[in-house]
Structure formats: structure tokens, C-alpha cells
Amino acid sequence: MDSSDWKAKFADNKNFDQKAPYNLKKILENLDKVTDLDHFNPYYLLSPIYDFTKVFGRISSGLAMGFKDITEKVEIMRQVFKLYPTMDNIQDLIKEEMKIGVFKFNGNTSGTRFHNDPKYKDYVSAARTFLRLLWFMEYLIHIFRYLATADDKSLKDILRDSYDEVLAPRHPLVVRGAVKVALTFASCDKVEAVGYMFEVKDLGAESKKKISMVADKLEKIWKAGYAFYDRYGLTKLE
């Protein structure tokens, strides 16, 4: 595919709009285009991550606010790619940040040689940002696995248990407290939520098969991404 095609889509704000309808078909089509697991295409991966956040708004307005951080991180990734117009994949961009020495930056370049460089003013690195998007992907995978297997758990239980297992150990105390309060407002019916997320009518065998299929697609990408971070010693990037 011509790179100008995905780059135009990546630059178009209409493709990153919380007001646009949730579209599972689009999400799956884009995930299927993430074929090179050593060189993630930014549009075809970040667009689905962004769109999955719309699910939380449907479940609870409190959760939507809680996961606004994810949409902001996708926006950071879009802005960072603008600074490196020749880059066409996430892993090479992160390696370039490591080469330059900006991969740890989180908006503060004071005391560094980049302090007076306008390109890196308030720079937040792709390396740091994408790691947190991988955490969110892992959280989604846990939710989807529970939905496909844990008939005895309520939706609130699934969201809480997945958070405790994946994100809570990585979040500071104040964030953990805020998220747990938001989770208490997750009052959406489990079947209703699954119907919205996966465009199914029930939680029968075929529906669970579809949920597992989506989880499998995400997990394949997540494993490759985490292996990259592990290989370069970036899994503990603060």
C-alpha cells in the first residue's frame, strides 16, 4: 500500500474523534493490516487502540474520563511522528529516539542539551508513551479473555479484576484510587456491553468465539511489542 494512504489517514483528525461511531469492523480491518510485527504501522495500530476507548464511554461516563489518558497518549504519538516525517513504523521511531538520546523524556528537557532546541520543547517520547499503550492493550486482552470464559463474573468484576492484575501495579496510589472510584460506576449490563463491543446478541458459544478472536489479534501484537521493549531494556521506562 502507498505510504501516502495511511499517512493521510493518520494525519486526519476525523479518524481520531471520540464523537465518531464505534466501528468494530474498522477496528478489525486495521488490526489485520498490522502484518509486520517488527515494524508496527502507526495508523493501523493506534487507530484501533483509540477506538477501543469508546467502549468505556458506553459503559460509564466515569470510565470514559478515567481512560481519557489513553486517547491523549495516542495524540502524543501522532504529534511525535510529525517530528520524524521519514519514519513509517513505531519500533524504528523508538530506536531513533534512543540513538538521539530523547527516549526517556516526559515533557521536561531542563538540564539536557536539548533544553533550547525548539523541536524538543516539552517533548514526550514515543518510547515512554507507547509502553503505556501496550499496558492498555494488555488490559483489554484481560477483559476480553474474562468475557469469553468467566460466566460467573459481572462486568464490574471483570473490569476491576483486569485493572488490579494489569494496570494497578503500574499506577501511583492516587491514580489507582481514582480509577477504582470510576469502576464503581460501571453499571452497564454485561450482555449489553458485550453486544456493543463485539456486535453480538448474547454470550453464547459463537459470541465467545468472536470475543476470543479479537483477543487473539490483540495479543499477537501486544506480545511482539512487549518483546521489543524487553529486548532493548525499556520495560521499566518511567
Side-chain angles (χ1 to χ4, degrees), residues 130-215:
F130 188 66
L131 177 60
R132 281 142 182 85
L133 293 176
L134 285 174
W135 296 349
F136 179 66
M137 288 179 65
E138 186 180 359
Y139 178 60
L140 289 176
I141 293 163
H142 275 240
I143 291 172
F144 297 166
R145 295 294 186 207
Y146 273 133
L147 288 172
T149 60
D151 292 338
D152 59 322
K153 288 181 179 288
S154 69
L155 178 63
K156 188 181 295 187
D157 288 341
I158 288 172
L159 294 172
R160 185 196 62 233
D161 291 351
S162 297
Y163 179 77
D164 288 343
E165 292 162 9
V166 178
L167 296 177
R170 293 156 167 159
H171 282 170
L173 183 61
V174 65
V175 174
R176 292 201 300 270
V179 172
K180 291 196 175 186
V181 168
L183 288 172
T184 65
F185 294 99
S187 57
C188 182
D189 177 77
K190 185 177 179 180
V191 174
E192 179 186 345
V194 168
Y196 175 69
M197 282 187 251
F198 300 101
E199 298 176 357
V200 296
K201 295 181 179 180
D202 55 38
L203 262 172
E206 287 303 310
S207 299
K208 290 179 179 180
K209 184 177 178 180
K210 185 173 184 179
I211 295 168
S212 295
M213 176 269 292
V214 178

Side-chain angles (χ1 to χ4, degrees), residues 90-129:
I90 292 172
Q91 287 95 326
D92 282 350
L93 172 58
I94 292 171
K95 285 190 280 187
E96 181 67 13
E97 287 184 330
M98 294 175 68
K99 178 181 176 182
I100 296 170
V102 298
F103 69 102
K104 293 182 179 179
F105 285 175
N106 184 27
N108 182 9
T109 59
S110 297
T112 74
R113 63 189 176 92
F114 300 97
H115 181 56
N116 294 317
D117 187 335
K119 179 176 179 178
Y120 296 104
K121 178 178 173 59
D122 303 323
Y123 189 81
V124 179
S125 74
R128 186 183 183 279
T129 302

Side-chain angles (χ1 to χ4, degrees), residues 1-2 14-15 21 33 54 60 74 96 122 126 194 207:
M1 177 176 288
D2 187 344
K14 292 179 182 178
N15 290 318
K33 291 176 181 175
K54 296 175 184 179
S60 159
V74 171
E96 181 67 13
D122 303 323
V194 168
S207 299

